[in-house]
Amino acid sequence: MINESVLSIILGGGQGSRLYPLTADRSKPAVPIAGKYRLVDIPISNCINSNIKRMYVLTQFNSASLNQHIKNTYHFSFFSSAFVDVLAAEQTMQSDKWFQGTADAVRQSMHHFLRNDFDYALILSGDQLYNMDLEDMIKKHKESDAEITIATYPVNAKDATGFGLLKTNSDNIITSFIEKPAAELLPDWTSEVGDEMKAEGRNYLASMGIYIFNRDLLIKLMDNPDTIDFGKEIIPQSIHKHKTLSYQYEGYWTDIGTIESFFEANLGLTDDIPKFNLYDDNRVYTRARILPTSKFAGTVVNRSVIADGCIIHADRIEKSVIGIRSRIGKDTTVENTYMMGNDYYESLEDIEHKNIENLLGIGDRCFINYCIVDKNCRIGDDVRIEGGKHLEDKETDSYFIKDGIVVLKKDATIPKGTIIK
């Protein structure tokens, strides 16, 4: 079943500089997460699970790998109206500029959207980790006769200054909005939230950057070329002119905006009961790879997530996420690490004839801690990487240190015996 009244628009984000070097040659939505998925799989899966199966993904930076992933993943029936299409920024007779902001991206792509019949536009972010019943959000939007609905999330005072905050009346209609307020203004912006949220000190309602617009209103709002961003301009200017509903969400949600938040979100999957639960009926869809099961020899694995197709001889893996096709050598310890895995295997013949010194993956007798290993890295034998807050921010040709996290760049080679500590 497809909800034919809703068209989903997934915003791919800008350059993603805060996620560098993971975004050096891929867009934010294409960044691998959880060992086998891409970030864009999250909003797409939320849509599919909510019977919303007509989606556009808007992007403009490094979109080749994102295009490839979507092309290879989301195939619907020939007899269905379902689709997931990537729209990259393009020059037209109306505009020769890059997307200038979230609203400008939607404005420049409107001629594509309007080829479809729909009553409601659902606007999502491509770089958030959450599991939401979007069908219920749309239902509440219809029932309240709202023209705009904003998904909102209770946050604490520490985080509140980084979000757009809002206040509502007893009917959850938004009455005021402020973008990233100064700390001294926060006492005036507390809201009524659930008891569990109150107990955690999360008394401020933040915009999640997830919106529903009635079709006619969205067309009207896009007529003004001076408004280029939803959070900074469209929403503050609209709440007193158009009925705007708050849809309060109290499940797990995180904005994957920085290396630290990306790292914590991935390692959080190793918890006994992870806040972002992949182990229920709300499936996260991704490319169906035909990979063998992972195999281990002499390895102690504790509180870790291991994807398909891995060959592991490590001594110990602790609180780590190990991605597809990973190889880890003998007497190696991996702790607090996200290893994205590899895009291909090296055959025994290739290894023998090319005389490869550093194989794909992690070599023998290594110690890797507090690290992100991007795709297709080659870590030689006897390498020691000890990330942590004691390390200063730094960049070399093969790795990048941010907030104490050592990020090995995609396709990097770390020679045997290297020590980073």
Side-chain angles (χ1 to χ4, degrees):
M1 187 174 74
I2 298 177
N3 188 334
E4 297 284 0
S5 68
V6 181
L7 185 71
S8 179
I9 301 165
I10 300 170
L11 302 175
Q15 194 169 356
S17 57
R18 292 188 300 158
L19 269 182
Y20 177 86
L22 304 179
T23 51
D25 59 3
R26 58 167 80 94
S27 60
K28 276 200 291 186
V31 173
I33 62 164
K36 62 179 289 186
Y37 306 99
R38 304 273 188 149
L39 266 173
V40 76
D41 292 328
I42 303 304
I44 291 176
S45 297
N46 279 319
C47 286
I48 292 173
N49 292 332
S50 301
N51 295 313
I52 300 163
K53 298 177 183 177
R54 296 185 301 160
M55 291 165 260
Y56 287 102
V57 181
L58 275 53
T59 186
Q60 66 182 346
F61 288 98
N62 292 331
S63 56
S65 63
L66 179 66
N67 273 308
Q68 185 179 41
H69 174 71
I70 289 176
K71 175 178 69 70
N72 291 332
T73 304
Y74 297 101
H75 302 151
F76 298 98
S77 166
F78 287 116
F79 304 101
S80 166
S81 61
F83 63 85
V84 182
D85 286 349
V86 176
L87 294 179
E90 58 186 352
Q91 289 187 328
T92 66
M93 297 299 290
Q94 288 73 39
S95 176
D96 60 356
K97 295 182 174 63
W98 289 98
F99 297 152
Q100 302 301 303
T102 53
D104 187 61
V106 171
R107 177 181 296 107
Q108 290 197 41
S109 305
M110 279 296 288
H111 59 290
H112 295 291
F113 308 148
L114 296 178
R115 293 171 185 162
N116 302 273
D117 289 329
F118 65 97
D119 298 319
Y120 308 101
L122 172 66
I123 298 176
L124 305 172
S125 172
D127 55 1
Q128 298 175 347
L129 194 61
Y130 65 104
N131 194 334
M132 182 189 290
D133 183 354
L134 298 169
E135 205 166 22
D136 185 62
M137 182 179 174
I138 292 161
K139 179 184 174 184
K140 296 292 196 301
H141 177 85
K142 293 178 181 178
E143 289 174 349
S144 66
D145 287 324
E147 294 177 275
I148 304 171
T149 292
I150 303 174
T152 57
Y153 188 69
V155 297
N156 59 30
K158 178 185 174 184
D159 296 331
T161 55
F163 289 96
L165 300 186
L166 52 90
K167 293 182 73 70
T168 66
N169 63 20
S170 57
D171 295 321
N172 290 321
I173 301 302
I174 297 171
T175 56
S176 52
F177 180 95
I178 186 171
E179 179 73 5
K180 297 181 180 178
E184 57 268 21
L185 298 177
L186 289 181
D188 296 327
W189 286 90
T190 57
S191 292
E192 190 61 35
V193 297
D195 291 339
E196 186 177 341
M197 300 294 101
K198 285 181 182 177
E200 295 178 12
R202 292 161 55 178
N203 297 306
Y204 306 91
L205 274 186
S207 169
M208 296 169 64
I210 296 174
Y211 314 109
I212 298 171
F213 286 86
N214 290 355
R215 175 191 173 114
D216 291 344
L217 177 59
L218 183 64
I219 294 171
K220 178 182 176 182
L221 292 173
M222 292 299 101
D223 280 343
N224 182 2
D226 294 329
T227 52
I228 61 173
D229 194 84
F230 283 108
K232 295 176 183 176
E233 294 157 334
I234 296 284
I235 297 303
Q237 293 171 16
S238 296
I239 57 172
H240 297 300
K241 300 176 184 176
H242 308 285
K243 188 176 183 180
T244 305
L245 179 74
S246 163
Y247 179 81
Q248 191 167 320
Y249 175 71
E250 296 189 357
Y252 174 76
W253 175 82
T254 187
D255 185 9
I256 307 291
T258 65
I259 290 293
E260 188 171 31
S261 64
F262 175 82
F263 184 67
E264 290 175 353
N266 278 284
L267 291 198
L269 299 172
T270 67
D271 293 342
D272 291 337
I273 303 177
K275 292 179 180 178
F276 182 72
N277 189 10
L278 291 167
Y279 303 93
D280 63 16
D281 291 334
N282 288 311
R283 299 175 184 173
V284 177
Y285 299 92
T286 194
R287 181 179 175 185
R289 302 173 181 87
I290 311 303
L291 288 174
T293 52
S294 291
K295 62 178 181 179
F296 300 81
T299 306
V300 175
V301 180
N302 186 35
R303 294 181 65 194
S304 295
V305 175
I306 315 291
D308 295 343
C310 299
I311 302 172
I312 297 174
H313 295 87
D315 180 57
R316 184 166 59 90
I317 298 175
E318 178 93 24
K319 196 170 174 58
S320 295
V321 176
I322 309 299
I324 57 172
R325 302 187 191 90
S326 289
R327 184 196 67 83
I328 304 177
K330 296 178 182 178
D331 300 319
T332 286
T333 295
V334 178
E335 299 177 350
N336 305 299
T337 288
Y338 175 28
M339 184 178 184
M340 292 186 184
N342 301 312
D343 291 320
Y344 56 93
Y345 288 114
E346 287 173 329
S347 69
L348 294 176
E349 184 179 17
D350 286 342
I351 293 169
E352 183 178 346
H353 288 119
K354 291 181 182 178
N355 192 26
I356 299 172
E357 181 177 357
N358 295 307
L359 303 180
L360 279 176
I362 301 175
D364 298 338
R365 300 176 302 278
C366 295
F367 180 81
I368 313 294
N369 183 35
Y370 216 67
C371 185
I372 296 173
V373 182
D374 205 333
K375 286 285 193 77
N376 308 327
C377 286
R378 300 171 183 272
I379 301 175
D381 296 341
D382 302 299
V383 168
R384 191 169 190 91
I385 300 175
E386 297 184 37
K389 296 296 184 182
H390 61 281
L391 295 179
E392 295 182 359
D393 290 358
K394 177 182 179 181
E395 181 173 11
T396 73
D397 290 341
S398 56
Y399 66 88
F400 181 86
I401 301 174
K402 180 68 175 177
D403 297 324
I405 303 162
V406 180
V407 184
L408 303 190
K409 296 180 179 180
K410 186 179 180 183
D411 301 313
T413 295
I414 307 298
K416 62 181 182 180
T418 298
I419 296 176
I420 304 171
K421 58 185 286 188

